[in-house]
PDB file of all heavy atoms in Angstrom:
ATOM      1  N   SER N  11       0.809  -1.186  -0.011  1.00  0.00           N
ATOM      2  CA  SER N  11       0.022   0.004  -0.013  1.00  0.00           C
ATOM      3  C   SER N  11       0.866   1.257   0.037  1.00  0.00           C
ATOM      4  O   SER N  11       2.000   1.214   0.495  1.00  0.00           O
ATOM      5  CB  SER N  11      -0.937  -0.023   1.255  1.00  0.00           C
ATOM      6  OG  SER N  11      -1.561   1.218   1.289  1.00  0.00           O
ATOM      7  N   SER N  12       0.385   2.340  -0.648  1.00  0.00           N
ATOM      8  CA  SER N  12       1.016   3.570  -0.525  1.00  0.00           C
ATOM      9  C   SER N  12       0.847   4.251   0.827  1.00  0.00           C
ATOM     10  O   SER N  12       1.611   5.232   1.077  1.00  0.00           O
ATOM     11  CB  SER N  12       0.634   4.496  -1.702  1.00  0.00           C
ATOM     12  OG  SER N  12      -0.848   4.740  -1.517  1.00  0.00           O
ATOM     13  N   ALA N  13      -0.044   3.807   1.564  1.00  0.00           N
ATOM     14  CA  ALA N  13      -0.345   4.376   2.873  1.00  0.00           C
ATOM     15  C   ALA N  13       0.706   3.739   3.863  1.00  0.00           C
ATOM     16  O   ALA N  13       1.121   2.586   3.807  1.00  0.00           O
ATOM     17  CB  ALA N  13      -1.763   3.951   3.367  1.00  0.00           C
ATOM     18  N   LYS N  14       1.168   4.596   4.694  1.00  0.00           N
ATOM     19  CA  LYS N  14       2.226   4.124   5.761  1.00  0.00           C
ATOM     20  C   LYS N  14       1.479   3.318   6.832  1.00  0.00           C
ATOM     21  O   LYS N  14       2.157   2.479   7.343  1.00  0.00           O
ATOM     22  CB  LYS N  14       2.756   5.373   6.379  1.00  0.00           C
ATOM     23  CG  LYS N  14       4.015   5.156   7.319  1.00  0.00           C
ATOM     24  CD  LYS N  14       4.729   6.321   7.795  1.00  0.00           C
ATOM     25  CE  LYS N  14       5.890   5.962   8.699  1.00  0.00           C
ATOM     26  NZ  LYS N  14       6.571   7.217   9.120  1.00  0.00           N
ATOM     27  N   THR N  15       0.210   3.586   7.099  1.00  0.00           N
ATOM     28  CA  THR N  15      -0.462   2.829   8.159  1.00  0.00           C
ATOM     29  C   THR N  15      -1.842   2.310   7.534  1.00  0.00           C
ATOM     30  O   THR N  15      -2.310   2.912   6.600  1.00  0.00           O
ATOM     31  CB  THR N  15      -0.813   3.666   9.376  1.00  0.00           C
ATOM     32  OG1 THR N  15      -1.637   4.849   9.009  1.00  0.00           O
ATOM     33  CG2 THR N  15       0.458   4.131   9.925  1.00  0.00           C
ATOM     34  N   MET N  16      -2.364   1.313   8.102  1.00  0.00           N
ATOM     35  CA  MET N  16      -3.560   0.639   7.572  1.00  0.00           C
ATOM     36  C   MET N  16      -4.756   1.640   7.752  1.00  0.00           C
ATOM     37  O   MET N  16      -5.080   1.961   8.993  1.00  0.00           O
ATOM     38  CB  MET N  16      -3.791  -0.645   8.261  1.00  0.00           C
ATOM     39  CG  MET N  16      -5.082  -1.364   7.791  1.00  0.00           C
ATOM     40  SD  MET N  16      -5.485  -2.851   8.922  1.00  0.00           S
ATOM     41  CE  MET N  16      -6.235  -1.994  10.211  1.00  0.00           C
ATOM     42  N   PRO N  17      -5.468   2.020   6.734  1.00  0.00           N
ATOM     43  CA  PRO N  17      -6.703   2.784   6.915  1.00  0.00           C
ATOM     44  C   PRO N  17      -7.660   1.988   7.662  1.00  0.00           C
ATOM     45  O   PRO N  17      -7.808   0.750   7.553  1.00  0.00           O
ATOM     46  CB  PRO N  17      -7.056   3.199   5.437  1.00  0.00           C
ATOM     47  CG  PRO N  17      -5.959   2.706   4.618  1.00  0.00           C
ATOM     48  CD  PRO N  17      -5.154   1.705   5.344  1.00  0.00           C
ATOM     49  N   VAL N  18      -8.519   2.656   8.478  1.00  0.00           N
ATOM     50  CA  VAL N  18      -9.767   2.040   9.004  1.00  0.00           C
ATOM     51  C   VAL N  18     -10.971   2.705   8.488  1.00  0.00           C
ATOM     52  O   VAL N  18     -11.017   3.812   8.212  1.00  0.00           O
ATOM     53  CB  VAL N  18      -9.681   2.215  10.601  1.00  0.00           C
ATOM     54  CG1 VAL N  18      -8.477   1.354  11.118  1.00  0.00           C
ATOM     55  CG2 VAL N  18      -9.650   3.529  11.039  1.00  0.00           C
ATOM     56  N   THR N  19     -12.075   1.901   8.313  1.00  0.00           N
ATOM     57  CA  THR N  19     -13.205   2.208   7.751  1.00  0.00           C
ATOM     58  C   THR N  19     -14.255   2.603   8.744  1.00  0.00           C
ATOM     59  O   THR N  19     -14.780   1.722   9.548  1.00  0.00           O
ATOM     60  CB  THR N  19     -13.790   1.106   6.769  1.00  0.00           C
ATOM     61  OG1 THR N  19     -12.803   0.811   5.842  1.00  0.00           O
ATOM     62  CG2 THR N  19     -15.091   1.702   5.987  1.00  0.00           C
ATOM     63  N   THR N  20     -14.601   3.937   8.930  1.00  0.00           N
ATOM     64  CA  THR N  20     -15.733   4.270   9.747  1.00  0.00           C
ATOM     65  C   THR N  20     -16.362   5.519   9.253  1.00  0.00           C
ATOM     66  O   THR N  20     -15.574   6.435   8.799  1.00  0.00           O
ATOM     67  CB  THR N  20     -15.251   4.442  11.347  1.00  0.00           C
ATOM     68  OG1 THR N  20     -16.306   4.916  11.992  1.00  0.00           O
ATOM     69  CG2 THR N  20     -14.105   5.373  11.412  1.00  0.00           C
ATOM     70  N   SER N  21     -17.592   5.762   9.508  1.00  0.00           N
ATOM     71  CA  SER N  21     -18.250   7.019   9.209  1.00  0.00           C
ATOM     72  C   SER N  21     -18.232   8.018  10.191  1.00  0.00           C
ATOM     73  O   SER N  21     -18.739   9.242  10.113  1.00  0.00           O
ATOM     74  CB  SER N  21     -19.707   6.763   8.778  1.00  0.00           C
ATOM     75  OG  SER N  21     -20.379   6.009   9.785  1.00  0.00           O
ATOM     76  N   SER N  22     -17.750   7.656  11.508  1.00  0.00           N
ATOM     77  CA  SER N  22     -17.802   8.450  12.599  1.00  0.00           C
ATOM     78  C   SER N  22     -16.464   8.928  13.232  1.00  0.00           C
ATOM     79  O   SER N  22     -15.658   8.086  13.460  1.00  0.00           O
ATOM     80  CB  SER N  22     -18.526   7.641  13.677  1.00  0.00           C
ATOM     81  OG  SER N  22     -18.395   8.355  15.007  1.00  0.00           O
ATOM     82  N   PRO N  23     -16.177  10.203  13.101  1.00  0.00           N
ATOM     83  CA  PRO N  23     -14.929  10.796  13.704  1.00  0.00           C
ATOM     84  C   PRO N  23     -14.836  10.381  15.079  1.00  0.00           C
ATOM     85  O   PRO N  23     -13.618  10.108  15.636  1.00  0.00           O
ATOM     86  CB  PRO N  23     -14.987  12.218  13.380  1.00  0.00           C
ATOM     87  CG  PRO N  23     -15.853  12.438  12.229  1.00  0.00           C
ATOM     88  CD  PRO N  23     -16.941  11.203  12.385  1.00  0.00           C
ATOM     89  N   LYS N  24     -15.898  10.405  15.835  1.00  0.00           N
ATOM     90  CA  LYS N  24     -15.864  10.007  17.295  1.00  0.00           C
ATOM     91  C   LYS N  24     -15.503   8.644  17.344  1.00  0.00           C
ATOM     92  O   LYS N  24     -14.567   8.200  18.292  1.00  0.00           O
ATOM     93  CB  LYS N  24     -17.328  10.255  17.854  1.00  0.00           C
ATOM     94  CG  LYS N  24     -17.290   9.892  19.356  1.00  0.00           C
ATOM     95  CD  LYS N  24     -18.734  10.023  19.869  1.00  0.00           C
ATOM     96  CE  LYS N  24     -18.738   9.636  21.362  1.00  0.00           C
ATOM     97  NZ  LYS N  24     -20.108   9.717  21.878  1.00  0.00           N
ATOM     98  N   ALA N  25     -15.969   7.759  16.539  1.00  0.00           N
ATOM     99  CA  ALA N  25     -15.599   6.379  16.686  1.00  0.00           C
ATOM    100  C   ALA N  25     -14.058   6.066  16.427  1.00  0.00           C
ATOM    101  O   ALA N  25     -13.441   5.270  17.017  1.00  0.00           O
ATOM    102  CB  ALA N  25     -16.566   5.459  15.721  1.00  0.00           C
ATOM    103  N   ARG N  26     -13.602   6.841  15.411  1.00  0.00           N
ATOM    104  CA  ARG N  26     -12.210   6.702  15.016  1.00  0.00           C
ATOM    105  C   ARG N  26     -11.363   7.151  16.086  1.00  0.00           C
ATOM    106  O   ARG N  26     -10.343   6.542  16.490  1.00  0.00           O
ATOM    107  CB  ARG N  26     -12.011   7.575  13.697  1.00  0.00           C
ATOM    108  CG  ARG N  26     -10.526   7.725  13.391  1.00  0.00           C
ATOM    109  CD  ARG N  26      -9.971   6.300  13.038  1.00  0.00           C
ATOM    110  NE  ARG N  26      -8.428   6.339  13.003  1.00  0.00           N
ATOM    111  CZ  ARG N  26      -7.728   6.336  11.893  1.00  0.00           C
ATOM    112  NH1 ARG N  26      -8.489   6.398  10.714  1.00  0.00           N
ATOM    113  NH2 ARG N  26      -6.440   6.300  11.829  1.00  0.00           N
ATOM    114  N   ASP N  27     -11.743   8.261  16.682  1.00  0.00           N
ATOM    115  CA  ASP N  27     -10.970   8.708  17.944  1.00  0.00           C
ATOM    116  C   ASP N  27     -10.865   7.770  19.055  1.00  0.00           C
ATOM    117  O   ASP N  27     -10.005   7.414  19.688  1.00  0.00           O
ATOM    118  CB  ASP N  27     -11.448  10.162  18.388  1.00  0.00           C
ATOM    119  CG  ASP N  27     -10.640  10.694  19.595  1.00  0.00           C
ATOM    120  OD1 ASP N  27      -9.394  11.059  19.468  1.00  0.00           O
ATOM    121  OD2 ASP N  27     -11.241  10.794  20.619  1.00  0.00           O
ATOM    122  N   LEU N  28     -12.061   7.225  19.388  1.00  0.00           N
ATOM    123  CA  LEU N  28     -12.187   6.220  20.441  1.00  0.00           C
ATOM    124  C   LEU N  28     -11.322   4.911  20.139  1.00  0.00           C
ATOM    125  O   LEU N  28     -10.712   4.409  20.995  1.00  0.00           O
ATOM    126  CB  LEU N  28     -13.718   5.768  20.677  1.00  0.00           C
ATOM    127  CG  LEU N  28     -14.644   6.851  21.394  1.00  0.00           C
ATOM    128  CD1 LEU N  28     -16.073   6.460  21.064  1.00  0.00           C
ATOM    129  CD2 LEU N  28     -14.264   6.962  22.738  1.00  0.00           C
ATOM    130  N   PHE N  29     -11.297   4.548  18.882  1.00  0.00           N
ATOM    131  CA  PHE N  29     -10.659   3.425  18.428  1.00  0.00           C
ATOM    132  C   PHE N  29      -9.142   3.622  18.524  1.00  0.00           C
ATOM    133  O   PHE N  29      -8.393   2.768  19.171  1.00  0.00           O
ATOM    134  CB  PHE N  29     -10.852   3.117  16.922  1.00  0.00           C
ATOM    135  CG  PHE N  29     -10.122   2.051  16.342  1.00  0.00           C
ATOM    136  CD1 PHE N  29     -10.316   0.745  16.460  1.00  0.00           C
ATOM    137  CD2 PHE N  29      -8.797   2.314  15.640  1.00  0.00           C
ATOM    138  CE1 PHE N  29      -9.593  -0.348  15.921  1.00  0.00           C
ATOM    139  CE2 PHE N  29      -8.068   1.383  15.129  1.00  0.00           C
ATOM    140  CZ  PHE N  29      -8.402   0.018  15.328  1.00  0.00           C
ATOM    141  N   ASP N  30      -8.644   4.819  18.230  1.00  0.00           N
ATOM    142  CA  ASP N  30      -7.215   5.191  18.272  1.00  0.00           C
ATOM    143  C   ASP N  30      -6.789   5.154  19.775  1.00  0.00           C
ATOM    144  O   ASP N  30      -5.586   4.651  20.102  1.00  0.00           O
ATOM    145  CB  ASP N  30      -6.931   6.509  17.692  1.00  0.00           C
ATOM    146  CG  ASP N  30      -6.881   6.435  16.035  1.00  0.00           C
ATOM    147  OD1 ASP N  30      -6.804   5.303  15.515  1.00  0.00           O
ATOM    148  OD2 ASP N  30      -7.062   7.366  15.412  1.00  0.00           O
ATOM    149  N   ARG N  31      -7.667   5.795  20.677  1.00  0.00           N
ATOM    150  CA  ARG N  31      -7.320   5.872  21.982  1.00  0.00           C
ATOM    151  C   ARG N  31      -7.208   4.416  22.624  1.00  0.00           C
ATOM    152  O   ARG N  31      -6.338   4.131  23.402  1.00  0.00           O
ATOM    153  CB  ARG N  31      -8.320   6.818  22.816  1.00  0.00           C
ATOM    154  CG  ARG N  31      -8.202   8.197  22.550  1.00  0.00           C
ATOM    155  CD  ARG N  31      -9.458   8.938  22.982  1.00  0.00           C
ATOM    156  NE  ARG N  31      -9.397  10.383  22.707  1.00  0.00           N
ATOM    157  CZ  ARG N  31      -8.829  11.304  23.617  1.00  0.00           C
ATOM    158  NH1 ARG N  31      -8.340  10.876  24.633  1.00  0.00           N
ATOM    159  NH2 ARG N  31      -8.927  12.509  23.197  1.00  0.00           N
ATOM    160  N   ALA N  32      -8.138   3.704  22.245  1.00  0.00           N
ATOM    161  CA  ALA N  32      -8.171   2.254  22.793  1.00  0.00           C
ATOM    162  C   ALA N  32      -7.048   1.429  22.372  1.00  0.00           C
ATOM    163  O   ALA N  32      -6.386   0.783  23.134  1.00  0.00           O
ATOM    164  CB  ALA N  32      -9.435   1.550  22.288  1.00  0.00           C
ATOM    165  N   LEU N  33      -6.542   1.746  21.111  1.00  0.00           N
ATOM    166  CA  LEU N  33      -5.308   1.038  20.519  1.00  0.00           C
ATOM    167  C   LEU N  33      -4.074   1.532  21.317  1.00  0.00           C
ATOM    168  O   LEU N  33      -3.287   0.671  21.743  1.00  0.00           O
ATOM    169  CB  LEU N  33      -5.140   1.272  19.054  1.00  0.00           C
ATOM    170  CG  LEU N  33      -4.176   0.485  18.348  1.00  0.00           C
ATOM    171  CD1 LEU N  33      -4.282  -0.977  18.597  1.00  0.00           C
ATOM    172  CD2 LEU N  33      -4.084   0.813  16.887  1.00  0.00           C
ATOM    173  N   THR N  34      -4.001   2.816  21.732  1.00  0.00           N
ATOM    174  CA  THR N  34      -2.899   3.221  22.608  1.00  0.00           C
ATOM    175  C   THR N  34      -2.984   2.621  23.872  1.00  0.00           C
ATOM    176  O   THR N  34      -2.015   2.198  24.457  1.00  0.00           O
ATOM    177  CB  THR N  34      -3.009   4.709  22.669  1.00  0.00           C
ATOM    178  OG1 THR N  34      -2.787   5.334  21.258  1.00  0.00           O
ATOM    179  CG2 THR N  34      -1.844   5.340  23.623  1.00  0.00           C
ATOM    180  N   ASP N  35      -4.293   2.416  24.477  1.00  0.00           N
ATOM    181  CA  ASP N  35      -4.305   1.804  25.769  1.00  0.00           C
ATOM    182  C   ASP N  35      -3.791   0.451  25.631  1.00  0.00           C
ATOM    183  O   ASP N  35      -3.101  -0.208  26.594  1.00  0.00           O
ATOM    184  CB  ASP N  35      -5.793   1.887  26.183  1.00  0.00           C
ATOM    185  CG  ASP N  35      -6.116   3.220  26.740  1.00  0.00           C
ATOM    186  OD1 ASP N  35      -5.296   4.060  27.249  1.00  0.00           O
ATOM    187  OD2 ASP N  35      -7.392   3.545  26.722  1.00  0.00           O
ATOM    188  N   TYR N  36      -4.188  -0.339  24.576  1.00  0.00           N
ATOM    189  CA  TYR N  36      -3.707  -1.681  24.341  1.00  0.00           C
ATOM    190  C   TYR N  36      -2.270  -1.819  24.370  1.00  0.00           C
ATOM    191  O   TYR N  36      -1.629  -2.594  25.037  1.00  0.00           O
ATOM    192  CB  TYR N  36      -4.418  -2.298  23.098  1.00  0.00           C
ATOM    193  CG  TYR N  36      -3.827  -3.615  22.706  1.00  0.00           C
ATOM    194  CD1 TYR N  36      -4.382  -4.775  23.325  1.00  0.00           C
ATOM    195  CD2 TYR N  36      -2.774  -3.793  21.862  1.00  0.00           C
ATOM    196  CE1 TYR N  36      -3.854  -6.062  23.119  1.00  0.00           C
ATOM    197  CE2 TYR N  36      -2.258  -5.048  21.646  1.00  0.00           C
ATOM    198  CZ  TYR N  36      -2.866  -6.155  22.202  1.00  0.00           C
ATOM    199  OH  TYR N  36      -2.332  -7.548  21.988  1.00  0.00           O
ATOM    200  N   GLU N  37      -1.582  -0.925  23.592  1.00  0.00           N
ATOM    201  CA  GLU N  37      -0.239  -0.798  23.425  1.00  0.00           C
ATOM    202  C   GLU N  37       0.646  -0.654  24.836  1.00  0.00           C
ATOM    203  O   GLU N  37       1.610  -1.094  25.055  1.00  0.00           O
ATOM    204  CB  GLU N  37       0.270   0.255  22.463  1.00  0.00           C
ATOM    205  CG  GLU N  37      -0.111  -0.136  21.077  1.00  0.00           C
ATOM    206  CD  GLU N  37       0.169   1.042  20.013  1.00  0.00           C
ATOM    207  OE1 GLU N  37       0.189   2.172  20.538  1.00  0.00           O
ATOM    208  OE2 GLU N  37       0.425   0.741  18.873  1.00  0.00           O
ATOM    209  N   ASN N  38      -0.128   0.097  25.608  1.00  0.00           N
ATOM    210  CA  ASN N  38       0.415   0.469  26.995  1.00  0.00           C
ATOM    211  C   ASN N  38       0.013  -0.638  28.015  1.00  0.00           C
ATOM    212  O   ASN N  38       0.143  -0.344  29.251  1.00  0.00           O
ATOM    213  CB  ASN N  38       0.064   1.909  27.369  1.00  0.00           C
ATOM    214  CG  ASN N  38       0.695   2.951  26.661  1.00  0.00           C
ATOM    215  OD1 ASN N  38       1.876   2.762  26.234  1.00  0.00           O
ATOM    216  ND2 ASN N  38      -0.024   3.935  26.286  1.00  0.00           N
ATOM    217  N   LEU N  39      -0.631  -1.573  27.599  1.00  0.00           N
ATOM    218  CA  LEU N  39      -1.125  -2.828  28.435  1.00  0.00           C
ATOM    219  C   LEU N  39      -2.243  -2.407  29.399  1.00  0.00           C
ATOM    220  O   LEU N  39      -2.420  -3.215  30.265  1.00  0.00           O
ATOM    221  CB  LEU N  39       0.163  -3.339  29.227  1.00  0.00           C
ATOM    222  CG  LEU N  39       1.362  -3.721  28.334  1.00  0.00           C
ATOM    223  CD1 LEU N  39       2.500  -4.204  29.216  1.00  0.00           C
ATOM    224  CD2 LEU N  39       0.942  -4.758  27.222  1.00  0.00           C
ATOM    225  N   TYR N  40      -3.040  -1.340  29.193  1.00  0.00           N
ATOM    226  CA  TYR N  40      -4.121  -1.093  29.822  1.00  0.00           C
ATOM    227  C   TYR N  40      -5.405  -1.869  29.049  1.00  0.00           C
ATOM    228  O   TYR N  40      -6.099  -1.337  28.290  1.00  0.00           O
ATOM    229  CB  TYR N  40      -4.482   0.249  29.911  1.00  0.00           C
ATOM    230  CG  TYR N  40      -3.363   1.013  30.722  1.00  0.00           C
ATOM    231  CD1 TYR N  40      -2.558   1.951  30.102  1.00  0.00           C
ATOM    232  CD2 TYR N  40      -3.353   0.918  32.114  1.00  0.00           C
ATOM    233  CE1 TYR N  40      -1.635   2.657  30.926  1.00  0.00           C
ATOM    234  CE2 TYR N  40      -2.354   1.565  32.912  1.00  0.00           C
ATOM    235  CZ  TYR N  40      -1.480   2.461  32.228  1.00  0.00           C
ATOM    236  OH  TYR N  40      -0.567   3.202  32.921  1.00  0.00           O
ATOM    237  N   LEU N  41      -5.456  -3.199  29.256  1.00  0.00           N
ATOM    238  CA  LEU N  41      -6.259  -4.021  28.247  1.00  0.00           C
ATOM    239  C   LEU N  41      -7.686  -3.789  28.534  1.00  0.00           C
ATOM    240  O   LEU N  41      -8.455  -3.763  27.523  1.00  0.00           O
ATOM    241  CB  LEU N  41      -5.782  -5.474  28.516  1.00  0.00           C
ATOM    242  CG  LEU N  41      -4.335  -5.701  28.277  1.00  0.00           C
ATOM    243  CD1 LEU N  41      -4.003  -7.253  28.367  1.00  0.00           C
ATOM    244  CD2 LEU N  41      -3.803  -5.120  26.852  1.00  0.00           C
ATOM    245  N   GLU N  42      -8.126  -3.784  29.776  1.00  0.00           N
ATOM    246  CA  GLU N  42      -9.499  -3.552  30.024  1.00  0.00           C
ATOM    247  C   GLU N  42     -10.074  -2.141  29.563  1.00  0.00           C
ATOM    248  O   GLU N  42     -11.058  -1.998  29.043  1.00  0.00           O
ATOM    249  CB  GLU N  42      -9.936  -3.880  31.476  1.00  0.00           C
ATOM    250  CG  GLU N  42     -11.421  -3.698  31.690  1.00  0.00           C
ATOM    251  CD  GLU N  42     -12.271  -4.659  30.799  1.00  0.00           C
ATOM    252  OE1 GLU N  42     -11.778  -5.777  30.452  1.00  0.00           O
ATOM    253  OE2 GLU N  42     -13.365  -4.213  30.304  1.00  0.00           O
ATOM    254  N   ARG N  43      -9.178  -1.180  29.773  1.00  0.00           N
ATOM    255  CA  ARG N  43      -9.489   0.149  29.397  1.00  0.00           C
ATOM    256  C   ARG N  43      -9.622   0.184  27.731  1.00  0.00           C
ATOM    257  O   ARG N  43     -10.388   0.878  27.167  1.00  0.00           O
ATOM    258  CB  ARG N  43      -8.505   1.163  29.751  1.00  0.00           C
ATOM    259  CG  ARG N  43      -8.852   2.602  29.686  1.00  0.00           C
ATOM    260  CD  ARG N  43      -8.068   3.537  30.713  1.00  0.00           C
ATOM    261  NE  ARG N  43      -6.810   3.792  30.118  1.00  0.00           N
ATOM    262  CZ  ARG N  43      -5.953   4.359  30.816  1.00  0.00           C
ATOM    263  NH1 ARG N  43      -6.128   4.731  32.047  1.00  0.00           N
ATOM    264  NH2 ARG N  43      -4.575   4.783  30.206  1.00  0.00           N
ATOM    265  N   ALA N  44      -8.791  -0.628  27.141  1.00  0.00           N
ATOM    266  CA  ALA N  44      -8.864  -0.748  25.637  1.00  0.00           C
ATOM    267  C   ALA N  44     -10.149  -1.287  25.258  1.00  0.00           C
ATOM    268  O   ALA N  44     -10.862  -0.827  24.251  1.00  0.00           O
ATOM    269  CB  ALA N  44      -7.691  -1.601  25.090  1.00  0.00           C
ATOM    270  N   ASN N  45     -10.675  -2.309  25.923  1.00  0.00           N
ATOM    271  CA  ASN N  45     -11.981  -2.987  25.662  1.00  0.00           C
ATOM    272  C   ASN N  45     -13.034  -1.932  25.855  1.00  0.00           C
ATOM    273  O   ASN N  45     -13.894  -1.937  24.925  1.00  0.00           O
ATOM    274  CB  ASN N  45     -12.233  -4.045  26.583  1.00  0.00           C
ATOM    275  CG  ASN N  45     -11.404  -5.359  26.316  1.00  0.00           C
ATOM    276  OD1 ASN N  45     -10.912  -5.451  25.170  1.00  0.00           O
ATOM    277  ND2 ASN N  45     -11.135  -6.198  27.313  1.00  0.00           N
ATOM    278  N   ILE N  46     -12.917  -1.155  26.913  1.00  0.00           N
ATOM    279  CA  ILE N  46     -14.032  -0.026  27.103  1.00  0.00           C
ATOM    280  C   ILE N  46     -14.025   0.870  25.863  1.00  0.00           C
ATOM    281  O   ILE N  46     -15.131   1.303  25.390  1.00  0.00           O
ATOM    282  CB  ILE N  46     -13.818   0.557  28.425  1.00  0.00           C
ATOM    283  CG1 ILE N  46     -13.976  -0.297  29.593  1.00  0.00           C
ATOM    284  CG2 ILE N  46     -14.664   1.842  28.459  1.00  0.00           C
ATOM    285  CD1 ILE N  46     -13.570   0.262  30.910  1.00  0.00           C
TER     286      ILE N  46
END
């Protein structure tokens, strides 16, 4: 892909922001917070 990172498909900017924050929580090992 020409994209540096994998695009994600959502119609909601709020959902995208929540997803990104959760992924950061997952990377930082806050696993249940990521689930939320």
Side-chain angles (χ1 to χ4, degrees):
S11 173
S12 59
K14 187 175 181 180
T15 59
M16 184 190 76
V18 297
T19 305
T20 177
S21 59
S22 168
K24 179 182 178 181
R26 173 59 192 261
D27 181 63
L28 288 165
F29 174 83
D30 286 338
R31 288 172 182 266
L33 188 54
T34 298
D35 283 334
Y36 174 82
E37 291 173 330
N38 289 321
L39 306 178
Y40 295 111
L41 302 184
E42 185 50 37
R43 197 159 79 188
N45 286 335
I46 292 169

